[in-house]
C-alpha cells in the first residue's frame, strides 16, 4: 500500500474505498493494493460522474465511476490529517 503525502493526479482509478473518518483508498489499474490518502473527518472531497456506491460495512463504502475510470486530483501536505481537496471525475 502506498500513502499519498504530496499533491498528485491519479489516472485510471477503478474505484475508491472511502470512510467517514476521512480515509480514501484508490484502486489504480495495474497496481497491487491501494493508494491511500488520509484526511480529516470534514475533509473536502468531491466525486463527479459516479456510477454506483456500495456499502462495505458500517463506516466504509466503495464509489464506482460512471465511465471506465476516475481521474483524481489529490491535495496532500503530509501522511495524515489532510484537509483536501480531492476531486475525482471521469474523462
Amino acid at each position: 500500500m502506498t500513502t499519498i503525502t504530496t499533491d498528485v493526479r491519479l489516472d485510471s482509478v477503478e474505484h475508491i474505498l472511502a470512510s467517514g473518518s476521512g480515509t480514501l483508498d484508490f484502486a489504480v489499474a495495474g497496481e497491487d493494493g491501494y493508494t491511500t490518502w488520509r484526511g480529516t473527518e470534514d475533509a473536502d472531497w468531491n466525486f463527479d460522474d459516479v456510477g454506483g456506491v456500495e456499502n462495505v460495512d458500517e463506516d466504509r463504502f466503495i464509489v464506482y465511476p460512471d465511465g471506465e475510470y476516475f481521474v483524481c486530483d489529490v491535495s496532500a501536505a503530509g501522511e495524515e490529517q489532510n484537509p483536501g481537496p480531492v476531486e475525482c471525475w471521469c474523462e
Side-chain angles (χ1 to χ4, degrees), residues 29-89:
E31 294 184 15
D32 292 333
Y34 284 101
T35 300
T36 300
W37 179 83
R38 291 184 179 89
T40 61
E41 282 188 36
D42 59 349
D44 178 16
W45 9 294
N46 183 51
F47 308 137
D48 290 330
D49 307 317
V50 172
V53 177
E54 177 184 327
N55 286 329
V56 176
D57 61 36
E58 184 176 312
D59 186 36
R60 295 186 58 85
F61 57 95
I62 298 175
V63 181
Y64 295 100
D66 188 35
E68 188 172 359
Y69 299 113
F70 282 121
V71 174
C72 298
D73 283 336
V74 182
S75 178
E79 283 191 26
E80 297 181 356
Q81 301 298 312
N82 291 294
V86 175
E87 299 283 337
C88 297
W89 69 92

